[in-house]
Amino acid sequence: MLTQLLVFVSTVVLCVSAQNSTNVTTADVEQAFTTAKIVPDVLPSFNPVGLLNVVFLDNVTNTTVTVTPGLNMTREQNALRPTVSFVSNMTTFAQQTFVLAMVDPDAPTPQNPTSAQIRHLLAPNITLNGSLATGAVLVNNTPAISDFLRPTPPVGSDPHRYILLLFAQPANFSSVVPGILNASTPISNFNISAFAEQLGLGSPLAGNFFLTGPDANSTNSTSTASSAASSATSPASGSAAGSTTNPPSSAVGMAELSWTGLTVAMGLLGVLVL
Ligand SMILES: *[C@@H]1O[C@H](CO)[C@@H](O)[C@H](O)[C@H]1NC(C)=O
Ligand SMILES: *[C@@H]1O[C@H](CO)[C@@H](O)[C@H](O)[C@H]1NC(C)=O
Ligand SMILES: *[C@@H]1O[C@H](CO)[C@@H](O)[C@H](O)[C@H]1NC(C)=O
Ligand SMILES: *[C@@H]1O[C@H](CO)[C@@H](O)[C@H](O)[C@H]1NC(C)=O
Ligand SMILES: *[C@@H]1O[C@H](CO)[C@@H](O)[C@H](O)[C@H]1NC(C)=O
Ligand SMILES: *[C@@H]1O[C@H](CO)[C@@H](O)[C@H](O)[C@H]1NC(C)=O
Ligand SMILES: *[C@@H]1O[C@H](CO)[C@@H](O)[C@H](O)[C@H]1NC(C)=O
Ligand SMILES: *[C@@H]1O[C@H](CO)[C@@H](O)[C@H](O)[C@H]1NC(C)=O
Ligand SMILES: *[C@@H]1O[C@H](CO)[C@@H](O)[C@H](O)[C@H]1NC(C)=O
Ligand SMILES: *[C@@H]1O[C@H](CO)[C@@H](O)[C@H](O)[C@H]1NC(C)=O
Ligand SMILES: *[C@@H]1O[C@H](CO)[C@@H](O)[C@H](O)[C@H]1NC(C)=O
Ligand SMILES: *[C@@H]1O[C@H](CO)[C@@H](O)[C@H](O)[C@H]1NC(C)=O
């Protein structure tokens, strides 16, 4: 428990220093999305107005991995929910509320993506903490609609693309979304562009992506499709400590990690990030 708490604390500390830590430009990201065919497979077009910095904590080595567009990652590296921050020169975003999504358009395989997209994260009501110029950390103020689900590409599959997208959240979002999608809605056969269109989210403001294949030595018996996680609602951990924050991934994290003390830890820490 103590060790696990330390891992969590280090994640929190890490986000304080999150910033434009790579030399990637929005033009680089735009180009990478096109090269990887995310445009047009997932988005009709993509004109980012900022950078989405995504930092994972490798669960095994306890080192951080900063995602550059198209990075090849192992499943160990992205087992835990990342810290995400937004870099932009548009100061008006400081007061904006956002929706963050992560989708896999390559399930079960890139060649035959019959269950794509898989909704790996859908987190509304996100606000910023910190400087937009150097990287403002995304803070989730209410539970995610779909908690973070770690990549689990099936045995034998080529690597999948996992795409994170940040949208501006329209004022009517919370009143409209329950009639369209909720925590019980299957995470498969999702379509982020159709969802964005339907909810009036507009084009994504920023994005990032990485590639992950199945574990090299994985077998049928170790595959862990955790679709049940989609229906697990986040415990209102923050409220126990008088906080309104709650990580979108908590239910998945606890289910997969058996972090039985995590809810309490999160409540005590109060401030949580993605
Ligand atoms: C960014 O580029 C500068 C100059 O080319 C280099 O010194 C620095 O190490 C780079 N930073 C990263 C994170 O790659
Ligand atoms: C991030 O840093 C690089 C170089 O350090 C710079 O070229 C780029 O414009 C920065 N991106 C943003 C969005 O500020
Ligand atoms: C992980 O690394 C951080 C700092 O790099 C350290 O404070 C923490 O104790 C480490 N946690 C574990 C479980 O090794
Ligand atoms: C990722 O791995 C693939 C296959 O091994 C390789 O072709 C590609 O260049 C790698 N991408 C990056 C960004 O390293
Ligand atoms: C994280 O690491 C611990 C200890 O090595 C392991 O028991 C746990 O299953 C790992 N969790 C994930 C999500 O990989
Ligand atoms: C932000 O940076 C882009 C690219 O450098 C530039 O075209 C745009 O005018 C800048 N916007 C503001 C508000 O400074
Ligand atoms: C914002 O970040 C600062 C550290 O930079 C932290 O002390 C503070 O608690 C954070 N606030 C929220 C609401 O996340
Ligand atoms: C998984 O197991 C099934 C039968 O249980 C077998 O048909 C299939 O080929 C196996 N797949 C891999 C990748 O081993
Ligand atoms: C966003 O937050 C508001 C106020 O806390 C809440 O009423 C609403 O249900 C939240 N929206 C979603 C989609 O969770
Ligand atoms: C959740 O959404 C599904 C459609 O995906 C709908 O059938 C169901 O009634 C909704 N549940 C609630 C509680 O709104
Ligand atoms: C919600 O607001 C968005 C953006 O303003 C708009 O496109 C959409 O039609 C509205 N949806 C409803 C159901 O009012
Ligand atoms: C995979 O199996 C090979 C051969 O048994 C072994 O050498 C290697 O260390 C294993 N890799 C992992 C990540 O377990």
Side-chain angles (χ1 to χ4, degrees), residues 69-72 211:
L71 182 69
N72 288 317
L211 304 174

Side-chain angles (χ1 to χ4, degrees), residues 3-217:
T3 305
Q4 290 147 351
L5 179 57
L6 284 173
V7 172
F8 185 77
V9 168
S10 71
T11 307
V12 171
V13 169
L14 179 156
C15 45
V16 171
S17 59
Q19 54 184 307
N20 180 12
S21 52
T22 67
N23 285 336
V24 171
T25 66
T26 52
D28 295 335
V29 179
E30 192 175 337
Q31 179 61 57
F33 269 56
T34 301
T35 301
K37 297 187 167 56
I38 296 168
V39 177
D41 289 357
V42 177
L43 302 170
S45 62
F46 183 47
N47 304 104
V49 294
L51 296 172
L52 201 60
N53 284 349
V54 179
V55 181
F56 283 95
L57 181 67
D58 186 314
N59 182 38
V60 174
T61 63
N62 191 29
T63 55
T64 60
V65 183
T66 298
V67 176
T68 49
L71 182 69
N72 288 317
M73 299 186 75
T74 66
R75 291 187 64 251
E76 284 172 6
Q77 288 177 322
N78 53 41
L80 307 179
R81 95 186 109 78
T83 297
V84 183
S85 54
F86 183 41
V87 183
S88 177
N89 63 356
M90 293 175 68
T91 52
T92 51
F93 287 138
Q95 305 308 318
Q96 178 69 48
T97 299
F98 303 92
V99 176
L100 180 68
M102 176 169 137
V103 298
D104 169 8
D106 296 323
T109 66
Q111 291 79 9
N112 191 26
T114 51
S115 53
Q117 299 158 13
I118 305 294
R119 191 170 69 248
H120 277 260
L121 174 69
L122 187 64
N125 278 337
I126 286 174
T127 54
L128 300 178
N129 182 17
S131 160
L132 266 170
T134 56
V137 176
L138 305 188
V139 179
N140 52 303
N141 297 282
T142 61
I145 298 170
S146 299
D147 285 326
F148 174 76
L149 186 63
R150 68 178 292 189
T152 55
V155 174
S157 173
D158 284 344
H160 294 199
R161 295 165 292 177
Y162 295 90
I163 303 150
L164 291 109
L165 297 169
L166 186 71
F167 296 90
Q169 179 173 316
N172 63 8
F173 184 86
S174 290
S175 62
V176 177
V177 74
I180 292 169
L181 184 146
N182 56 56
S184 304
T185 309
I187 59 169
S188 57
N189 298 114
F190 181 62
N191 184 324
I192 187 63
S193 289
F195 178 78
E197 174 78 22
Q198 196 171 6
L199 275 295
L201 298 182
S203 299
L205 304 171
N208 207 335
F209 73 101
F210 56 89
L211 304 174
T212 295
D215 289 338
N217 291 352

